Amino acid sequence: MTVLTIATQPIAGQKPGTSGLRKKTPVFMGAHYLENFVQSIFDAIGGAAGKTFVLGGDGRYFNDRAAQTILKMAAANGAAKVIVGQNAVLSTPAASHLIRLNKTDGGIIMSASHNPGGPEEDFGVKFNMANGGPAPEAVTEAMFRRTTEITEYRISDAADIDLGRIGATTVDGMAVEVVDSVTDYAALMETLFDFPAIRAMFAGGFRMRFDAMCAVTGPYATEILENRLGAAKGTVTHGTPLPDFGGMHPDPNPTWAHELMAEMMGADAPDFGAASDGDGDRNMVVGRGVYVSPSDSLAVLAANAHLAPGYARGLAGVARSMPTSAAADLVADALGIGKYETPTGWKFFGNLLDAGRATLCGEESFGTGSDHVREKDGLWAVLLWLNILAVRQQSVATIMAEHFARFGRNYYSRHDFEAIATDKADAMMAELRASLAGLKGQSVEGMEIAGADDFAYTDPVDGSVSQKQGVRILFTDGSRIVMRLSGTGTEGATLRVYLERYTPGPEGLDRDPQEALAPVIRAAHALAKIAAHTGRTEPDVVT
Ligand code: VG1
Ligand code: CO
């Protein structure tokens, strides 16, 4: 077996977005594409020599082939060892946990997360650091720079490794340890939550539906919910991971998880429903007849986390991405703990978690997590909800109603306009940005604009600055519009419009969010001239 040095050339567009590099699968399968990016990762982190990494992915199409290539490149770059999930499958939070548990130098995760998978759909690769969290911007920028100057990569010509068999092996002198994908993650969950209490709740007839959407969480959810917690067999649906997710769009929101929504809103609905995304870091939570928006879920979890053993000491602080509603801030204020507002993307939570400033983090995009790993964690959020339900012995609807009565309600919605021509979306955002300075004091839809800016973030731990993280328009009544373009899509541009309006109560706490937000929605369309720029009047996805 020998190490081959292959001559290559830079390939345009290998710039990591909100969460790693995502492209259409055929692009990733193109000559040198994956190899150039993986070599650039190794180069950007100071080489792989002597290092230990974790490797796994969400099992989508090309996951198996990409894993073999990455292992052979790690070996050729002198890595000491790679810990791989069986069949190269690991959920994103499980990969983060393995990086931390084994004190490795980082890990490579193969996933395009909530994007569809298959030969014509999406694939992705991202690098996580030794803390288990996504590489920060300085590192992803170094990777991108490297892709623009790369001239060669190194790869072993060894035969493929059998990743189906758990145990130790080697490739070209590098140790490879194939581990069960679920065991260590499930053990971590047992340390955080009151499994006996949740087990007793299921034994008492509590019914649940978990939709794994034919993605990576199937085996994790089946082991934890059905085998360890005693939920009825069949609680987990779409529980077998498939390379194309069975044609499903593994994005747990009311639009794409419509089967779960229909069941939870129907007659004889279970007590609790949840869904997760392609790589298992997202969660949607639904009670019988009641949908819980992710921003509200973060707030409820923050207010009740102390009911779970892993958080009984209380929380150091709560962090949310800027577009996420301020519902969690109200809880942080009531608890007298820190609150943080970061740009979109989990990589911005890493420093706050490492520094012990934040314990819980969340995004409006169905992401919730804590300092137990350095990624958002879908199943973790579901288990925390179950722990809270087991202790409070109330329905999800009652818990939500009590929460709103205590804190008021931040009506919230995100409207996505997908596959807009990139030049049109860019022109719209440019015009909107140019108008911001003059917006203060203007009145729109009967609401006065208190201020408008382009969100910039200074990391309180390392002082790094991230500019242009989304346009904010704030109104004097506390309502808010945020607009930004997606950094995870692979086709054209996706405009995300985030809408928020606060109602203190006690009246008006159970309105339909779209109706409560109607003036804010109209204001967003008027201020950004969405129809004039894009031709769109209605969003493609409403969450
Ligand atoms: C989206 C979400 C963001 C999330 C990111 C990765 O990014 O808005 O909150 O962190 O996806 O999630 P964007 O740039 O498209 O808005 V995942 O589950 O796809 O890793
Ligand atoms: Co994901």
Side-chain angles (χ1 to χ4, degrees):
M1 287 177 288
T2 41
V3 168
L4 309 176
T5 300
I6 310 285
T8 187
Q9 285 179 347
I11 300 172
Q14 293 198 320
K15 189 175 172 59
T18 311
S19 176
L21 179 66
R22 296 187 192 180
K23 295 289 171 194
K24 289 286 166 208
T25 309
V27 174
F28 248 110
M29 294 178 76
H32 307 313
Y33 198 93
L34 173 67
E35 292 86 346
N36 274 16
F37 189 64
V38 171
Q39 187 65 52
S40 297
I41 291 176
F42 290 146
D43 293 349
I45 60 167
K51 293 183 178 170
T52 297
F53 299 108
V54 165
L55 174 66
D58 61 18
R60 71 181 60 216
Y61 189 84
F62 190 49
N63 188 89
D64 49 352
R65 302 297 320 142
Q68 297 290 345
T69 298
I70 293 168
L71 284 171
K72 290 172 198 175
M73 288 187 68
N77 278 274
K81 180 177 177 180
V82 178
I83 299 168
V84 197
Q86 189 175 20
N87 296 315
V89 170
L90 286 174
S91 77
T92 287
S96 181
H97 177 52
L98 285 179
I99 292 170
R100 297 166 63 77
L101 182 69
N102 297 287
K103 299 192 167 43
T104 70
D105 298 288
I108 294 180
I109 300 176
M110 302 169 289
S111 172
S113 194
H114 62 282
N115 300 16
E120 302 302 327
E121 299 294 350
D122 292 357
F123 191 77
V125 170
K126 71 170 181 170
F127 184 78
N128 281 29
M129 312 292 283
N131 73 344
E137 273 194 336
V139 178
T140 57
E141 273 158 25
M143 289 170 190
F144 175 56
R145 261 198 314 280
R146 194 67 195 143
T147 67
T148 65
E149 54 194 34
I150 190 167
T151 57
E152 59 184 40
Y153 62 82
R154 285 179 291 289
I155 188 163
S156 160
D157 68 351
D160 280 0
I161 304 125
D162 179 3
L163 297 177
R165 217 179 49 227
I166 288 173
T169 173
T170 60
V171 52
D172 239 347
M174 180 185 79
V176 175
E177 187 185 346
V178 180
V179 299
D180 181 78
S181 311
V182 176
T183 307
D184 287 322
Y185 176 83
L188 174 66
M189 293 301 116
E190 295 220 28
T191 68
L192 298 173
F193 302 115
D194 189 344
F195 271 46
I198 303 172
R199 207 176 290 128
M201 180 171 72
F202 279 119
F206 183 89
R207 288 189 303 133
M208 174 176 180
R209 173 72 64 222
F210 183 96
D211 192 341
M213 304 189 85
C214 301
V216 78
T217 43
Y220 294 84
T222 305
E223 170 62 18
I224 294 172
L225 298 175
E226 298 186 9
N227 298 349
R228 299 195 185 196
L229 291 170
K233 297 284 169 217
T235 293
V236 178
T237 50
H238 300 119
T240 304
L242 299 171
D244 65 350
F245 306 124
M248 292 179 90
H249 186 160
D251 192 351
N253 62 42
T255 300
W256 295 115
H258 50 84
E259 273 182 51
L260 176 69
M261 284 301 284
E263 185 175 4
M264 295 307 299
M265 298 302 146
D268 197 36
D271 300 287
F272 187 60
S276 177
D277 74 329
D279 62 333
D281 57 359
R282 294 188 180 205
N283 73 92
M284 179 174 80
V285 162
V286 201
R288 184 190 296 128
V290 50
Y291 163 69
V292 182
S293 93
S295 294
D296 290 336
S297 178
L298 174 65
V300 170
L301 295 183
N304 293 279
H306 62 280
L307 301 177
Y311 306 92
R313 296 182 322 279
L315 309 175
V318 181
R320 62 167 174 87
S321 67
M322 181 273 284
T324 303
S325 94
D329 298 17
L330 301 176
V331 175
D333 289 343
L335 295 175
I337 59 174
K339 56 180 181 188
Y340 301 90
E341 186 178 37
T342 61
T344 293
W346 211 261
K347 56 177 174 267
F348 294 102
F349 293 132
N351 280 344
L352 295 170
L353 293 165
D354 285 349
R357 295 207 193 188
T359 310
L360 247 56
C361 304
E363 295 191 277
E364 50 63 43
S365 53
F366 301 85
T368 337
S370 88
D371 59 358
H372 69 291
V373 290
R374 292 293 180 275
E375 287 279 4
K376 54 189 188 268
D377 188 344
L379 210 41
W380 167 90
V382 171
L383 290 166
L384 181 49
W385 261 101
L386 286 171
N387 199 143
I388 292 166
L389 290 165
V391 174
R392 288 188 53 167
Q393 303 274 325
Q394 291 169 311
S395 69
V396 173
T398 302
I399 288 175
M400 294 315 297
E402 289 191 7
H403 187 90
F404 294 147
R406 179 171 170 206
F407 295 100
R409 181 166 181 181
N410 297 73
Y411 283 102
Y412 187 85
S413 185
R414 184 177 103 183
H415 289 195
D416 290 336
F417 299 80
E418 296 178 342
I420 302 172
T422 306
D423 54 341
K424 289 185 179 167
D426 289 343
M428 195 203 82
M429 289 303 290
E431 191 181 324
L432 180 62
R433 286 195 157 98
S435 76
L436 295 179
L439 288 183
K440 192 176 171 181
Q442 280 191 31
S443 179
V444 49
E445 291 292 331
M447 305 179 302
E448 190 188 328
I449 298 177
D453 66 3
D454 200 344
F455 182 63
Y457 178 66
T458 304
D459 186 302
V461 179
D462 69 11
S464 60
V465 177
S466 302
Q467 308 275 5
K468 297 184 89 170
Q469 296 296 318
V471 167
R472 305 193 286 189
I473 300 165
L474 312 164
F475 296 89
T476 52
D477 69 353
S479 299
R480 187 176 75 139
I481 298 166
V482 176
M483 289 194 216
R484 54 181 287 281
L485 299 180
S486 159
T488 59
T490 58
E491 235 175 330
T494 293
L495 168 67
R496 305 206 193 284
V497 183
Y498 310 82
L499 308 140
E500 180 173 359
R501 184 177 205 189
Y502 180 67
T503 303
E507 273 84 50
L509 293 176
D510 56 2
R511 296 173 70 185
D512 168 47
Q514 300 308 316
E515 182 238 324
L517 288 165
V520 188
I521 295 169
R522 286 195 298 270
H525 280 264
L527 289 166
K529 306 192 184 89
I530 296 175
H533 279 286
T534 69
R536 307 287 181 84
T537 53
E538 296 297 324
D540 299 287
V541 177
V542 172
T543 53

